[in-house]
Amino acid sequence: MSRRFYVIGNPIEHSLSPVIHAAFARETGIPIVYEKRLFAIEDFDGQLQQLLKTEKVSGANVTVPFKTKAYEASRTLSGRARRAGAVNTLSFRKDGQIVGDNTDGIGFVRDVKRLYGENLDKAHVLLLGAGGAARGLLAVLPEFVESVTVANRTEAKAVSLAREFGVFSCPLEGAYGSSWDIVVNATSASLNGAVPAVDKRVLSSASLCYDLMYSRVATPFMQQAQCAGCPNVHDGLGMLVEQAAESFRIWNGIRPTVEPVLFWLRATP
Ligand code: ATR
């Protein structure tokens, strides 16, 4: 019998996770049922308990705005989920235990490795933003690169986050002067059609500019980086597929290949 999984969020209609997991299931030959589930904003815990009471569910991905609630609902946490303070992958054990993991950071690292190349361990990374998305990356990224520096509109948040994760921080407007190999937009500025106020020379001299957001057309940050002259500008679709592949592995024990799915998603209108 196929095991059942959900992706839980609000809103959830836009989620690509069901088609990604369906493709992984076809590729690996592991039959799963994976569907979207809209939770009301209030009482994540109550709705989760109700779901587990009424259906036999093996696991769930959790997206905005419930990743912190999923963290709180987890009885057991992976190290990276504990560090991130957020959970995007829940496993429901037969004994009733809820196990929380966070696959966002490793999903980002795997996609960037593909785009940047094997020298990732020598890279100096400038991370723009100091919210939940930045935390997810900081839980994993520092062990894979030479250095990480956090810059944020509200500088005090960058300073405090950098201290917590043992990385560097610098003022957003003051990032020019050092040389960054990779600049990552982990702000939510794109949601409002805005861009972080970073000097365009920071973007033009980077080997890779990466926006955690993805969209059919270039995001405002991608346009900003392209206009600045960065030769290698990417959105976060690869990270989305990679984090899904890691969740699939946690649940099913096999890591699917991401490239065919990524290629297909890019080609599908
Ligand atoms: P998420 O979970 O997506 O990270 P969040 O926790 O609300 O969302 O964090 C949003 C981040 O985007 C913050 O770092 C925020 O900067 P502030 O701490 O100064 O609020 C950043 N951000 C949002 N809009 C921005 C903008 N127009 N320019 C620069 N940074 C912006």
Side-chain angles (χ1 to χ4, degrees), residues 90-251:
L90 292 169
S91 302
F92 306 122
R93 290 217 188 127
K94 290 208 177 76
D95 62 6
Q97 257 205 55
I98 298 180
V99 180
D101 202 339
N102 190 318
T103 65
D104 287 332
I106 194 66
F108 171 78
V109 166
R110 293 212 175 109
D111 193 39
V112 165
K113 219 174 224 171
R114 180 177 28 247
L115 299 169
Y116 185 78
E118 285 309 312
N119 285 339
L120 187 60
D121 58 342
K122 309 272 185 323
H124 295 277
V125 179
L126 178 65
L127 180 58
L128 307 175
R135 285 192 76 87
L137 262 53
L138 284 167
V140 172
L141 184 59
E143 66 181 284
F144 289 93
V145 296
E146 180 72 33
S147 75
V148 179
T149 302
V150 185
N152 191 48
R153 180 175 62 181
T154 310
E155 195 185 344
K157 279 202 229 167
V159 171
S160 135
L161 199 62
R163 196 169 294 148
E164 181 182 341
F165 284 93
V167 300
F168 302 105
S169 66
C170 76
L172 187 56
E173 291 85 357
Y176 179 64
S178 301
S179 143
W180 313 106
D181 301 301
I182 302 173
V183 180
V184 184
N185 180 29
T187 75
S188 55
S190 292
L191 290 178
N192 303 315
V195 289
V198 66
D199 193 302
K200 72 183 223 184
R201 290 168 296 184
V202 168
L203 305 175
S204 61
S205 59
S207 305
L208 170 66
C209 285
Y210 191 105
D211 197 344
L212 297 193
M213 305 249 167
Y214 59 89
S215 92
R216 288 260 153 245
V217 293
T219 64
F221 175 75
M222 290 170 72
Q223 292 174 32
Q224 182 190 24
Q226 281 159 351
C227 289
C230 178
N232 201 6
V233 179
H234 283 272
D235 72 0
L237 189 65
M239 173 180 168
L240 177 79
V241 180
E242 288 284 5
Q243 63 78 29
E246 179 69 2
S247 295
F248 191 94
R249 184 198 64 76
I250 289 167
W251 293 325

Side-chain angles (χ1 to χ4, degrees), residues 8 44-45 62-74 77 81 84-90 101-102 104 131-133 135:
I8 298 167
F44 174 85
D45 229 24
V62 179
T63 185
V64 177
F66 299 122
K67 290 184 188 182
T68 313
K69 293 285 179 202
Y71 171 88
E72 287 161 5
S74 300
L77 290 163
V87 158
N88 78 335
T89 305
L90 292 169
D101 202 339
N102 190 318
D104 287 332
R135 285 192 76 87

Side-chain angles (χ1 to χ4, degrees), residues 53-65:
K53 214 187 290 174
T54 50
E55 292 184 36
K56 198 169 173 306
V57 187
S58 298
N61 281 130
V62 179
T63 185
V64 177

